[in-house]
Amino acid sequence: AARVLRSATRFLESAYARAVRDGGARVFRERAFFARVVSPELTVTLRGAMDLVVLWPNGDVDVVDYKRARGPDTRPHALQLDVYALAAGRDFPDAGRVRAGAVFLGGEHAPEPRFRPAIAPAKLEAHLVTLAENLLASRKTSRFPRAPQKTCHAIGCGYFTLCHPAKEKRQLALFR
């Protein structure tokens, strides 16, 4: 508890948090979202809660996700952050710039949000539909292809030892 409190305090004392306070931004904590992506073949429904949404006086919107990790790479969280940006853009349709990023509370570096480059909503929606189609096809055939080990290492996947164990477990034969 003390470590979490120390990390949270560091973030609240950061230059970013000061700018939010001093800039007169509106702040939303744990902002729930519900979004649909519709294609001719299927509908993808997304729901969740964004840790922190900052609505700046100029209309820009920041979504900040807290991570206990040391960071500072946002790539392992790319899809989550991109979905948050999509949801925030829909929640605030008159927004100027919408950014999504993570603040890594576990490291010793300054706890400033690391924002991802924006992805076009249409491109993200097409990607989400493709992911859903692939999942449905895998479920239908009971075959779930694994990502290459190099990809798993690059994104810091937390399931690496399950998908790529030193000795394959019987149930992983489904993933071949």
Side-chain angles (χ1 to χ4, degrees):
R3 189 179 60 162
V4 172
L5 179 61
R6 196 170 42 253
S7 297
T9 300
R10 285 180 56 226
F11 173 64
L12 293 172
E13 293 171 346
S14 71
Y16 180 81
R18 262 192 312 280
V20 169
R21 284 189 303 271
D22 297 346
R26 289 179 55 202
V27 175
F28 305 89
R29 292 179 44 233
E30 293 298 320
R31 184 171 176 99
F33 70 88
F34 180 85
R36 282 200 169 113
V37 177
V38 180
S39 80
E41 296 81 27
L42 58 94
T43 299
V44 178
T45 303
L46 307 164
R47 67 184 177 101
M50 298 172 277
D51 289 344
L52 177 67
V53 178
V54 178
L55 179 59
W56 296 95
N58 69 356
D60 289 349
V61 176
D62 287 350
V63 179
V64 179
D65 193 53
Y66 308 121
K67 298 293 182 193
R68 288 180 36 208
R70 294 177 187 198
D73 193 356
T74 60
R75 285 179 298 176
H77 315 286
L79 183 60
Q80 175 189 16
L81 295 173
D82 292 343
V83 167
Y84 285 175
L86 178 70
R90 289 181 177 185
D91 281 356
F92 300 98
D94 297 328
R97 176 183 63 174
V98 176
R99 319 186 283 178
V103 62
F104 295 96
L105 302 174
E108 295 304 317
H109 56 279
E112 299 290 332
R114 308 247 179 191
F115 291 100
R116 282 186 43 73
I119 183 170
K123 183 177 178 180
L124 176 60
E125 290 173 1
H127 179 62
L128 291 168
V129 167
T130 299
L131 289 174
E133 289 171 344
N134 291 345
L135 177 60
L136 290 172
S138 292
R139 287 184 69 192
K140 189 174 185 177
T141 62
S142 293
R143 298 190 59 78
F144 299 85
R146 299 180 225 182
Q149 289 186 18
K150 182 179 178 182
T151 301
C152 294
H153 280 300
I155 65 169
C157 178
Y159 299 100
F160 184 84
T161 57
L162 292 174
C163 286
H164 303 285
K167 182 177 179 186
E168 187 174 89
K169 295 178 177 146
R170 204 176 82 215
Q171 68 267 29
L172 287 177
L174 293 172
F175 295 96
R176 269 191 266 142

